[in-house]
Amino acid sequence: MSSFTTVTVLLLLILSVVYSQDSSSSDGFPCPFYRELVVKNPPLNGNDIIILQQLLSRSFENVALSGNFDQTTSYLLSKFQSLNQIDDSGNLDIETANILLENNLADGYKDNGMIPPGFLYKVYVPVFKNRSIETTAFLYDNQMNVLLNFTVRTHGQMDNSTGLAMNEFCGDGSTPTGLMLFDFNSPEPDPVSFGPYPINRAVQGLTGNAYTIISNIRDGILLHTGEWPNWNPSMPMPNSHGCIHSHPDDIYQISQILPTLGVQMRQNTYGQLPYPYQPQGILSIELIE
Ligand SMILES: *[C@@H]1O[C@H](CO)[C@@H](O)[C@H](O)[C@H]1NC(C)=O
Ligand SMILES: *[C@@H]1O[C@H](CO)[C@@H](O)[C@H](O)[C@H]1NC(C)=O
Ligand SMILES: *[C@@H]1O[C@H](CO)[C@@H](O)[C@H](O)[C@H]1NC(C)=O
């Protein structure tokens, strides 16, 4: 081998090792999981472990969302594994990750039909497990009067390696469920992808899956439309990257109604964190079936 070839081969080997350790390489794990979790000293730490703990909290009481894969988390995981009749190693492997998402992804969040004091508007979005089915969302004022109902799509990107829709915990997956702080922002700069009208931004998750997801793990969950190529209002809307898609007419109407409620249009933050304004609205997204 020439020294050039040797160097090239070495570089490729190093690159492949680096790549396989990169957090974006999933090695067959369903996102948000991407690595095997085993107890180490010091413990492994990360957002994947916070989500793991949130999912385990749906099977067991008093699970701390520490983000550390410690003895307690591993013990609860082994209990989950034995309840599901799989190898109770206490380690997170691909099979366990799939079963955990299948059984525990639904957060059980239920909308209470109310708006907390101090907020000027609420948007309620019911969703089906099959996000390809568009649903009717509602805009309320602070007395819970319905001001508008409108069609929405909350389907995120497809995972092309599995042919399945990406779940709520994936970077570009379905819109997360739960209760969130919401605010009215000036238009995004790209009307083709986001429409020409002001948008609403999910600022912070309060309960449900949104509690861990927004905005620590996913940011830029918006309610918007688009000037989608080859689309017209008789058609289903395109999949989003996690946003709530709605028809141009409806997003225009929302942008006209909110100021009549005393809602200020904030200068769009384009995802800047921490969010610099006091959120004026509430977003409630509930899995109904
Ligand atoms: C989900 O809904 C879409 C649109 O109604 C439908 O075409 C599709 O077959 C459904 N998928 C499943 C798995 O039920
Ligand atoms: C939505 O609003 C339209 C027009 O006001 C009304 O006819 C329709 O019944 C409403 N749909 C729902 C599901 O409330
Ligand atoms: C999946 O494939 C479609 C069609 O090629 C593409 O538009 C989309 O961006 C891909 N999704 C991801 C997450 O790469």
Side-chain angles (χ1 to χ4, degrees):
M1 254 196 273
S2 73
S3 64
F4 176 76
T5 314
T6 314
V7 167
T8 308
V9 167
L10 274 175
L11 263 178
L12 283 175
L13 276 174
I14 291 167
L15 275 176
S16 67
V17 169
V18 168
Y19 182 74
S20 68
Q21 291 177 344
D22 184 287
S23 69
S24 65
S25 104
S26 62
D27 289 328
F29 276 88
C31 61
F33 302 111
Y34 60 90
R35 55 176 173 173
E36 184 167 87
L37 297 174
V38 297
V39 175
K40 291 188 176 169
N41 191 9
L44 295 169
N45 178 280
N47 286 337
D48 54 333
I49 300 166
I50 295 179
I51 295 170
L52 168 71
Q53 290 165 332
Q54 188 183 32
L55 296 175
L56 285 171
S57 76
R58 294 173 187 159
S59 295
F60 308 106
E61 311 254 302
N62 303 321
V63 181
L65 307 187
S66 67
N68 292 326
F69 194 76
D70 52 17
Q71 293 285 355
T72 311
T73 307
S74 174
Y75 170 69
L76 292 174
L77 190 59
S78 72
K79 278 180 44 177
F80 176 85
Q81 289 167 324
S82 57
L83 284 171
N84 286 280
Q85 291 153 357
I86 54 176
D87 178 21
D88 61 349
S89 62
N91 300 335
L92 186 82
D93 52 24
I94 293 172
E95 182 184 26
T96 308
N98 279 315
I99 294 176
L100 197 58
L101 286 167
E102 177 69 26
N103 293 0
N104 287 22
L105 184 126
D107 56 19
Y109 166 74
K110 293 285 169 234
D111 183 82
N112 65 5
M114 302 197 289
I115 179 166
F119 293 93
L120 297 173
Y121 67 105
K122 173 175 175 175
V123 170
Y124 169 67
V125 180
V127 297
F128 294 107
K129 188 169 182 201
N130 179 354
R131 300 292 186 96
S132 294
I133 305 170
E134 295 184 339
T135 55
T136 301
F138 296 85
L139 170 65
Y140 301 93
D141 66 12
N142 66 359
Q143 302 301 308
M144 290 303 286
N145 297 305
V146 178
L147 303 178
L148 186 71
N149 68 53
F150 53 102
T151 304
V152 293
R153 185 178 185 87
T154 56
H155 191 309
Q157 293 292 293
M158 297 300 291
D159 179 341
N160 292 327
S161 65
T162 59
L164 300 173
M166 288 186 176
N167 70 51
E168 299 173 29
F169 293 106
C170 303
D172 290 326
S174 305
T175 317
T177 50
L179 192 66
M180 290 155 250
L181 301 181
F182 210 30
D183 208 13
F184 188 45
N185 280 192
S186 58
E188 291 279 323
D190 168 11
V192 174
S193 302
F194 295 94
Y197 310 116
I199 54 99
N200 278 270
R201 175 181 299 280
V203 172
Q204 192 190 329
L206 302 176
T207 63
N209 288 340
Y211 174 70
T212 52
I213 296 173
I214 296 174
S215 48
N216 302 327
I217 295 172
R218 300 181 66 186
D219 191 26
I221 305 291
L222 313 176
L223 168 61
H224 70 85
T225 187
E227 292 170 350
W228 301 305
N230 310 315
W231 180 85
N232 71 64
S234 71
M235 298 163 72
M237 290 173 270
N239 292 338
S240 72
H241 290 79
C243 291
I244 305 170
H245 277 170
S246 194
H247 290 193
D249 277 5
D250 291 322
I251 296 296
Y252 171 72
Q253 286 228 40
I254 293 168
S255 75
Q256 298 296 299
I257 293 170
L258 291 180
T260 69
L261 307 176
V263 176
Q264 312 261 321
M265 184 177 73
R266 317 291 202 186
Q267 169 59 44
N268 198 316
T269 57
Y270 309 122
Q272 174 197 335
L273 293 175
Y275 186 74
Y277 310 109
Q278 179 69 37
Q280 303 164 92
I282 284 287
L283 172 64
S284 173
I285 307 185
E286 177 181 6
L287 179 68
I288 52 169
E289 203 179 283

